[in-house]
Amino acid sequence: MSRVPGWIGRLGSGLSQVGERMGAKEGPDDGFDDDIEPSRRSAADDAAAEGEVVPAPPAYAPDIAARPDPVAAVPWGMRVAAEAGWRLLVLAGTLWVLMKVISAVQLVVFAFVAALLITAMLQPTVVRLKRLGLPRGLATVVTAVLGFVIMGLVGWFVVWQVMENADTLSSQVQNGIDDLRNWLLTSPFHVTEDQINDIAKSLREAVGANTEELTSAGLEGVTVIVEAMTGILLTMFSTLFLLYDGKRIWQWVLKLVPAPARPGIAGAGPRAWRTLTAYVRGTVIVALIDAIFIGLGIYFLGVPMAVPLAVFIFLFAFIPLVGAVISGALAVVVALVTQGVFTGVMALVVVLAVQQIEGHILQPFILGRAVRVHPLAVVLSVAAGGLVAGIGGAVVAVPLVAVTNTVVGYLRAYSREAALKQSPQPRGATALDVAPVDSPSAD
C-alpha cells in the first residue's frame, strides 16, 4: 500500500491552523451567535464595552415599543381645554370672592359709583370755571354745591307735587276705575259684572292677607331711610374729593399696578374716563328730552301730576331700555285710571313716539361713537346687573360694559403695537410696511 503524498498532509495541517485562529477571534460558540443580526451584535458589543451586562435580545424575540410619555399621549385639544379650564376656574373663584366683598360693603360701593357718575357729569363745569379764572378749590365747591342743590330741589319738588295732589289723585283714580269698569262692561270683550267683582274681591283679600308684610315693610322703612341718608352723604363727599383731587387719586391708583403693566393702564384710564363722561352727558341729554316731550304730551292731555311724572321719566331713563318702558307704562296707567281709555291710548301714542325718536335719532346722534355697545350686550348687562344688585346694578351695568369695552380695545391695540416695536423688521422695511394701529399716546 502506497503512502499518502507528503504535500496532502501538509495542506491538511495548514487548514487546521487557520481554523483554530478563526475560532479564537470569534470567541466561544453559544449556539446562537450565528443567528444574531449584525446591527444587534454591534449594539451588544457597544453595551459590553461600556460596562453594561444586558445581553442583546435574540432574533426570535419580538420588538416591544416603548410606552409614550403620558403628557404626549393626551390629545392636543384636550390639553388646551384643560389649561383654559383651570384658568377659568381661578377667574370664576376670584370673581365670586370679589362679589362677596362688594355685597358686604354694597352701600359704600354704590355711593362711590354714584359719585363717579356725578363727577363725570359735573367735571366739565369745573374746567370751564377754572378757565374763567376761579381757583381750583372754589370752582370745585361752586360746582358741587350747585349740582347737589339742583338735585335736591328737583327731589323736593317731586315730593311736594305728590303730597299736594294726593287727595285729588285719589278721587280721580276712583272715578277712573269706575269709568274703566263701565267700559269693560260695554266692551266687546264680554266681561261680566261678576268677573269684575271677583277680581276686586281677590285684590282686597290679597291686601288683607299681606297686611303684616306691609306693616313690617313700613317698619323697615326707617332702616332704609338711614341707609339712604348715609349713601347720600358718602356720595357727596366722594364727589367733592373726586372733583378736586381726581388726578392725584388716579396717580395713586397707578402706583398699585405692576410696573410692566403701568404704561398700558395709564393710557387706558383717560380713555375710560372720556367714555364714561360721554355716556353720562349723552344719557342726561336724552333723558331730559324724553322728560320734556312726554311731560308736555301728558300735560296737554290733562293727566294730573304731569311734572312729577316727567321727573320720574328723567330718572328712569338712566336705566337703558327697561327704564323707558317702566316710566312710560307708569304715565300711561296714570292717564288711563284718571282720564279714561281714550286719554290712556293717546298717552301711549305719545310715549311710543318719543321713545322711537330717542332710540333711532337721539342716542346715535348724541352718544355717537363714544359709547358703542351692541343692543344685545345692553339687554344682557341690564338684566344681569338687575339680578345681582337690583336697580343700582341695572343703572351701573351699561356704563361698566362701555368702559370695559374701551379699556379692552385700547389694551389690545397697545399690546399689538408693543409687539411690533419689539419684533425685528426685515431689512429694507419701513414704518409704512407695518399695519397701522391706534397710537396709545393719541388723545
Side-chain angles (χ1 to χ4, degrees), residues 227-243:
E227 291 181 354
M229 294 301 297
T230 305
I232 291 173
L233 291 176
L234 287 174
T235 303
M236 293 176 64
F237 280 108
S238 301
T239 303
L240 187 63
F241 285 109
L242 287 173
L243 286 173

Side-chain angles (χ1 to χ4, degrees), residues 7 32 62 102 105 110 150 157 160 181 187 200 331 415 430:
W7 63 274
F32 297 100
I102 291 176
V105 290
F110 278 156
I150 292 174
F157 179 77
W160 174 67
R181 178 174 176 273
S187 67
S415 61
T430 62

Side-chain angles (χ1 to χ4, degrees), residues 57-405:
Y60 60 80
D63 292 334
I64 301 176
R67 291 185 177 182
D69 187 8
V71 177
V74 179
W76 174 256
M78 188 176 294
R79 278 194 279 175
V80 172
E83 292 287 336
W86 73 260
R87 286 176 170 83
L88 288 176
L89 288 177
V90 171
L91 291 177
T94 304
L95 183 61
W96 182 81
V97 173
L98 182 62
M99 294 302 297
K100 286 293 183 181
V101 173
I102 291 176
S103 63
V105 290
Q106 188 174 4
L107 179 63
V108 178
V109 173
F110 278 156
F112 183 73
V113 172
L116 281 176
L117 296 176
I118 297 173
T119 302
M121 182 174 58
L122 298 180
Q123 190 186 31
T125 306
V126 176
V127 174
R128 292 190 184 95
L129 292 178
K130 287 173 60 179
R131 290 175 180 174
L132 293 176
L134 269 70
R136 183 177 182 179
L138 183 58
T140 301
V141 171
V142 170
T143 303
V145 170
L146 287 178
F148 285 111
V149 166
I150 292 174
M151 288 185 284
L153 289 176
V154 170
W156 170 81
F157 179 77
V158 171
V159 174
W160 174 67
Q161 285 289 312
V162 172
M163 295 297 293
E164 286 290 326
N165 296 283
D167 296 334
T168 305
L169 181 64
S170 177
S171 61
Q172 289 180 342
V173 167
Q174 185 62 42
N175 295 330
I177 292 175
D178 294 336
D179 294 339
L180 181 62
R181 178 174 176 273
N182 296 329
W183 180 80
L184 288 175
L185 290 174
T186 58
S187 67
F189 298 108
H190 304 290
V191 179
T192 63
E193 187 172 359
D194 293 336
Q195 292 176 339
I196 296 175
N197 293 332
D198 291 339
I199 295 174
K201 182 180 178 181
S202 300
L203 291 175
R204 285 194 299 268
E205 290 177 353
V207 173
N210 296 322
T211 302
E212 295 182 358
E213 287 77 3
L214 294 175
T215 305
S216 62
L219 294 176
E220 292 176 356
V222 178
T223 304
V224 173
I225 292 175
V226 172
E227 291 181 354
M229 294 301 297
T230 305
I232 291 173
L233 291 176
L234 287 174
T235 303
M236 293 176 64
F237 280 108
S238 301
T239 303
L240 187 63
F241 285 109
L242 287 173
L243 286 173
Y244 179 73
D245 222 5
K247 184 177 293 186
R248 287 201 293 178
I249 293 174
W250 170 242
Q251 292 175 353
W252 177 80
V253 171
L254 282 178
K255 294 179 182 179
L256 302 178
V257 180
R262 197 171 296 166
I265 300 298
R271 286 162 175 79
W273 181 251
R274 285 197 294 269
T275 300
L276 182 62
T277 304
Y279 173 81
V280 174
R281 291 183 193 171
T283 304
V284 169
I285 295 174
V286 172
L288 190 61
I289 293 174
D290 285 351
I292 290 174
F293 284 97
I294 295 178
L296 288 175
I298 60 177
Y299 174 78
F300 288 116
L301 288 173
V303 178
M305 293 196 306
V307 177
L309 287 175
V311 174
F312 278 115
I313 291 170
F314 173 80
L315 296 177
F316 275 93
F318 284 90
I319 306 176
L321 299 180
V322 180
V325 174
I326 295 175
S327 59
L330 179 62
V332 172
V333 168
V334 172
L336 179 65
V337 299
T338 57
Q339 300 297 320
V341 178
F342 177 77
T343 305
V345 173
M346 295 304 298
L348 178 61
V349 171
V350 171
V351 170
L352 291 178
V354 173
Q355 289 181 357
Q356 290 298 316
I357 294 173
E358 169 204 339
H360 294 87
I361 299 176
L362 295 180
Q363 285 191 356
F365 178 73
I366 295 175
L367 294 179
R369 299 183 60 184
V371 183
R372 177 174 290 181
V373 181
H374 196 274
L376 179 60
V378 173
V379 173
L380 295 179
S381 60
V382 170
L387 292 175
V388 173
I391 296 178
V395 173
V396 174
V398 176
L400 180 61
V401 171
V403 169
T404 303
N405 184 34

